[in-house]
């Protein structure tokens, strides 16, 4: 969360800024004010993706998360299931940082990641960096491909969800609050 605040606090055109004074004195992600439509415009999303890819402290925090939390979790889930040695993991680098301003009627499109060329062997990870209580906006995911039984991932900062986003459809509903929702997502592939 702190690495995301520092990344977004850097002055840059087209992404956004924090208000001059926040309630706590330190910038809060929920109070980030995006410029333009960082949530829906591809060019702005690509600019943010490039900024993430250049931010060494943010990337170091991400690497620690993957190395110390995500990969050990996956290894524990695969124990005994893999024959022929230790599995090899391949993960998205850099992760995608999502910024969803509010209040807005804009929503993330319903999709499965295969629609964007992702492979069925990938596992999606989604981590909110903002308070669910404040933003009241989260990712909605179906439990199995084509089922249509979408449920909200009721996670707060510090929690993570893993799901099969290549085949299971998911979307982000509109953010009705005056706060900005920020999250990261990435994919991990496993090979024997």
């Amino acid at each position: 969360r702190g690495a995301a605040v520092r990344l977004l606090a850097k002055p840059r055109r087209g992404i956004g800024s924090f208000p001059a004074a926040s309630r706590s004195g330190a910038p809060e992600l929920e109070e980030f004010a995006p410029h333009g439509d960082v949530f829906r415009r591809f060019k702005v999303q690509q600019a943010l993706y490039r900024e993430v890819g250049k931010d060494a402290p943010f990337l170091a925090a991400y690497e620690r998360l993957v190395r110390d939390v995500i990969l050990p979790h996956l290894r524990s889930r695969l124990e005994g299931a893999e024959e022929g040695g230790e599995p090899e993991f391949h993960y998205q680098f850099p992760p995608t940082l999502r910024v969803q301003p509010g209040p807005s009627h804009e929503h993330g499109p319903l999709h499965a990641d295969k629609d964007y060329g992702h492979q069925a062997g990938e596992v999606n990870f989604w981590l909110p960096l903002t308070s669910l209580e404040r933003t009241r906006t989260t990712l909605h995911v179906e439990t199995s491909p084509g089922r249509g039984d979408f449920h909200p991932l009721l996670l707060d900062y510090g929690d993570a969800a893993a799901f099969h986003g290549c085949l299971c459809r998911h979307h982000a509903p509109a953010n009705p609050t005056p706060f900005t929702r920020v999250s990261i997502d990435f994919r991990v592939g496993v090979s024997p």
Side-chain angles (χ1 to χ4, degrees):
R1 182 174 163 102
V5 168
R6 286 186 295 280
L7 173 94
L8 293 172
K10 293 178 183 176
R12 55 182 58 85
R13 293 174 25 162
I15 295 176
S17 61
F18 285 98
S22 84
R23 288 179 285 173
S24 68
E28 295 182 14
L29 278 176
E30 293 86 355
E31 295 176 1
F32 182 73
H35 298 310
D37 192 1
V38 71
F39 184 62
R40 297 285 292 178
R41 286 193 54 226
F42 183 72
K43 281 187 175 184
V44 180
Q45 290 174 355
Q46 289 300 308
L48 181 57
Y49 188 74
R50 284 190 300 277
E51 292 298 326
V52 168
K54 295 187 294 188
D55 192 278
F58 185 88
L59 294 174
Y62 171 63
E63 289 268 32
R64 284 191 304 276
L65 169 73
V66 171
R67 182 188 63 236
D68 298 344
V69 178
I70 302 299
L71 296 184
H73 168 74
L74 286 174
R75 278 189 189 92
S76 73
R77 298 285 309 264
L78 292 173
E79 281 181 8
E82 294 289 322
E83 293 182 21
E86 183 75 16
E88 187 174 322
F89 297 99
H90 307 274
Y91 59 91
Q92 178 182 332
F93 190 88
T96 302
L97 182 67
R98 309 251 183 219
V99 177
Q100 185 181 9
S104 174
H105 297 290
E106 296 291 334
H107 56 86
L110 177 63
H111 70 283
D113 289 356
K114 68 178 179 160
D115 302 339
Y116 299 102
H118 288 276
Q119 300 173 16
E122 297 174 341
V123 177
N124 289 48
F125 286 88
W126 183 79
L127 295 83
L129 299 179
T130 48
S131 163
L132 177 60
E133 183 179 339
R134 290 178 80 186
T135 65
R136 297 193 326 258
T137 307
T138 188
L139 192 65
H140 290 233
V141 180
E142 64 184 347
T143 58
S144 61
R147 190 154 190 185
D149 59 343
F150 297 95
H151 63 282
L153 299 179
L154 300 176
L155 306 178
D156 226 326
Y157 169 67
D159 297 329
F163 64 99
H164 198 217
C166 183
L167 300 176
C168 292
R169 294 173 298 162
H170 48 284
H171 68 96
N175 179 353
T177 74
F179 301 107
T180 298
R181 179 185 66 84
V182 181
S183 62
I184 64 169
D185 59 83
F186 56 94
R187 288 128 200 92
V188 178
V190 182
S191 63

